[in-house]
Amino acid sequence: MDKQKIILVVLMFVGIGIFVFIKEHINEKKARTGEDLAKVRLVLSRLLPDSASYTTAYAFYKWSKYQGRSKRTWYYHYAIAFRPGELFVVPIQYAGGEVSAQSRGVLLTPENVGRVESDGAGPVIFGKDGQEICHFRVLAMYTHQDRFEPFNIAQGEEARAFDSFIADFTRQIAA
């Protein structure tokens, strides 16, 4: 490869790197506005009458399955609300800039949860019958990646509160 081609390849990689960095920075700024988190909270307020007494957050889970050379990925988005001894979880979807509930949600308490495990990324919650109810992560920052990961959400305080909550909730269930 001659010197001119090497320079062009290096410039192309630098350009792509700058583009990705700027895009991520813009998405982080959008996340800090709280617009998408407000949409998630609106869904919760429609389904949970006293949602103001809960800490609310967005939760996400991505699961991939490999079959030969192909890969299939499932995306799960949740609006969650929690307070000591209670976790309300509702699957949500994002379409046309709006967030909507995919069901009426479920209120999880130590009375109806069989166990809580961690897969290293987040909690996996099982019912008394041993069936998995939900599996998700609550992170401090989510940025728009593609149509399957559409949210720009900054929720550092909520993520820390959830980590504390799920540790206490797990202890209540194990007791």
Side-chain angles (χ1 to χ4, degrees):
M1 207 182 253
D2 67 346
K3 193 174 186 175
Q4 186 177 12
K5 287 182 182 179
I6 292 172
I7 291 172
L8 286 174
V9 169
V10 169
L11 286 176
M12 181 182 71
F13 281 114
V14 168
I16 290 170
I18 290 171
F19 173 78
V20 169
F21 177 77
I22 290 171
K23 181 180 177 236
E24 190 68 16
H25 180 71
I26 289 169
N27 286 339
E28 286 177 10
K29 271 181 98 170
K30 287 179 182 178
R32 286 182 175 75
T33 67
E35 182 181 338
D36 285 348
L37 188 54
K39 291 175 183 179
V40 169
R41 288 182 172 140
L42 183 59
V43 168
L44 287 165
S45 70
R46 290 181 187 144
L47 296 172
L48 193 60
D50 59 341
S51 65
S53 67
Y54 288 79
T55 301
T56 57
Y58 165 73
F60 174 74
Y61 181 66
K62 179 168 68 171
W63 181 68
S64 297
K65 182 177 181 182
Y66 296 89
Q67 294 176 325
R69 289 187 289 171
S70 65
K71 174 183 170 185
R72 184 163 181 193
T73 304
W74 290 265
Y75 298 86
Y76 302 92
H77 305 273
Y78 300 98
I80 64 168
F82 55 94
R83 64 183 177 193
E86 295 181 354
L87 172 62
F88 183 74
V89 180
V90 61
I92 57 173
Q93 66 182 1
Y94 187 89
E98 295 304 314
V99 179
S100 60
Q102 292 182 305
S103 76
R104 304 224 21 96
V106 62
L107 182 63
L108 303 172
T109 65
E111 289 76 36
N112 64 5
V113 171
R115 72 183 192 277
V116 178
E117 296 177 356
S118 177
D119 69 350
V124 184
I125 302 172
F126 296 88
K128 293 281 188 189
D129 60 358
Q131 295 286 80
E132 183 178 314
I133 297 172
C134 57
H135 189 172
F136 56 79
R137 305 173 68 166
V138 177
L139 298 177
M141 178 73 71
Y142 291 93
T143 57
H144 175 90
Q145 300 300 312
D146 53 32
R147 67 186 177 115
F148 301 110
E149 298 180 49
F151 293 98
N152 286 311
I153 293 178
Q155 56 181 10
E157 193 173 308
E158 293 87 347
R160 285 187 296 279
F162 181 77
D163 289 343
S164 175
F165 162 80
I166 202 66
D168 291 340
F169 192 68
T170 302
R171 279 191 292 275
Q172 288 176 6
I173 292 165

